[in-house]
């Protein structure tokens, strides 16, 4: 059974860098069968895709966040990571990591999600 | 970017009711659409991909339809566990984008 688990500080100061890890168990990031993504949800609001990475290191970022986002993958540790720089209060959200389907059948949907972690910028 | 617009933003319904949620894309996305269910404090769960393909374990009271720009999610007979917020997502291209959500509340 695939499981994803986010980890990282729950509180980040304004102007600093938010850093989160997502540990993957039950599947191999290196299989090449999926992307691995980050999605966030501000309190009481909707879902916003942040970015995704392929095992090879190819990345796709939300244009609205691209200048501040870095996603990396460590296949040996079966985890991938998110860094968001120069954070402000508007970056306060629950951050989810998720497995993302390749476009082939069904398209780029997210089939497995972590439980999410609340990051507060204050 | 492809914008996704859901309606209504909320709906009040009773157990046993038929509920329909609409999602409109700002440009044609063929059948590249997924639906998610999110309960408070939980991660979203994918219900449907490719407009109408139910994910494993999803009850058949959920169904999807549409193509191009207009899509619907229908719950044929609302059950107590279905009270949640539902999101559509276009799965055609990057950046993947979500609708703003529809909250299904108890009447």
């Amino acid at each position: 059974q695939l499981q994803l688990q986010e980890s990282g500080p729950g509180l980040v100061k304004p102007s600093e860098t938010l850093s989160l890890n997502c540990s993957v168990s039950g599947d191999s990031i290196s299989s090449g069968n999926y992307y691995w993504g980050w999605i966030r949800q501000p309190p009481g609001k909707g879902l916003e895709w942040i970015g995704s990475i392929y095992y090879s290191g190819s990345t796709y970022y939300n244009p609205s966040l691209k200048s501040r986002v870095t996603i990396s993958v460590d296949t040996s540790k079966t985890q991938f990571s998110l860094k968001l720089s120069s954070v402000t209060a508007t970056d306060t959200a629950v951050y989810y990591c998720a497995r993302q389907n390749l476009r082939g059948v069904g398209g780029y949907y997210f089939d497995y999600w972590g439980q999410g972690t609340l990051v507060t910028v204050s | 970017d492809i914008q996704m617009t859901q309606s209504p933003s909320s709906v009040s319904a009773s157990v046993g009711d038929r509920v329909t949620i609409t999602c409109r894309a700002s440009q044609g996305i063929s059948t590249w659409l997924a639906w998610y269910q999110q309960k408070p404090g939980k991660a979203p769960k994918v219900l449907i991909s490719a407009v109408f393909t139910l994910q494993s374990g999803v009850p058949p009271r959920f169904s999807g339809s549409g193509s191009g720009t207009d899509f619907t999610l229908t719950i044929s007979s609302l059950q107590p566990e279905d009270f949640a917020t539902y999101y559509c997502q276009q799965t055609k291209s990057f950046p993947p984008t979500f609708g703003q959500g529809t909250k299904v509340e108890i009447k």
Side-chain angles (χ1 to χ4, degrees):
Chain A
Q1 176 75 2
L2 177 67
Q3 291 188 321
L4 298 94
Q5 178 68 57
E6 305 90 351
S7 61
L11 183 63
V12 181
K13 291 180 172 18
S15 80
E16 295 190 344
T17 296
L18 178 160
S19 296
L20 295 173
N21 292 320
C22 180
S23 296
V24 178
S25 60
D27 191 10
S28 172
I29 293 179
S30 303
S31 68
N33 295 325
Y34 299 94
Y35 294 103
W36 303 88
W38 290 96
I39 303 100
R40 70 180 183 178
Q41 184 172 39
K45 297 189 177 181
L47 301 165
E48 180 182 35
W49 173 74
I50 300 170
S52 300
I53 192 165
Y54 193 52
Y55 83 102
S56 62
S58 296
T59 51
Y60 305 84
Y61 296 140
N62 190 320
S64 67
L65 299 169
K66 186 174 183 178
S67 64
R68 299 193 292 130
V69 173
T70 302
I71 296 175
S72 59
V73 63
D74 184 337
T75 56
S76 64
K77 294 184 178 180
T78 63
Q79 68 177 20
F80 60 106
S81 303
L82 168 69
K83 292 187 185 299
L84 181 65
S85 64
S86 305
V87 297
T88 69
T90 59
D91 295 310
T92 294
V94 174
Y95 286 75
Y96 295 100
C97 60
R99 190 177 78 172
Q100 185 178 20
N101 195 50
L102 298 179
R103 194 172 191 266
V105 176
Y108 300 123
Y109 66 95
F110 300 92
D111 61 354
Y112 282 91
W113 297 61
Q115 64 186 24
T117 187
L118 175 63
V119 179
T120 302
V121 179
S122 178
Chain B
D1 299 3
I2 301 173
Q3 305 304 315
M4 307 301 292
T5 303
Q6 285 181 237
S7 62
S9 57
S10 66
V11 57
S12 294
S14 301
V15 172
D17 284 353
R18 181 183 182 90
V19 172
T20 298
I21 299 168
T22 297
C23 179
R24 175 165 288 177
S26 61
Q27 61 185 262
I29 58 171
S30 184
T31 58
W32 301 103
L33 186 98
W35 289 97
Y36 299 84
Q37 177 193 66
Q38 186 179 32
K39 296 182 178 179
K42 300 295 187 181
K45 170 190 170 184
V46 63
L47 298 175
I48 289 172
S49 64
V51 175
F52 55 81
T53 301
L54 261 61
Q55 298 299 291
S56 176
V58 175
R61 62 180 179 272
F62 290 92
S63 64
S65 64
S67 68
T69 60
D70 295 310
F71 304 89
T72 59
L73 172 70
T74 299
I75 310 172
S76 61
S77 177
L78 198 65
Q79 297 302 300
E81 61 267 30
D82 302 335
F83 291 96
T85 300
Y86 294 84
Y87 294 92
C88 61
Q89 180 219 333
Q90 66 84 10
T91 64
K92 178 182 181 183
S93 61
F94 283 99
T97 44
F98 296 87
Q100 78 277 21
T102 296
K103 187 174 184 179
V104 177
E105 299 175 299
I106 301 173
K107 191 172 186 178

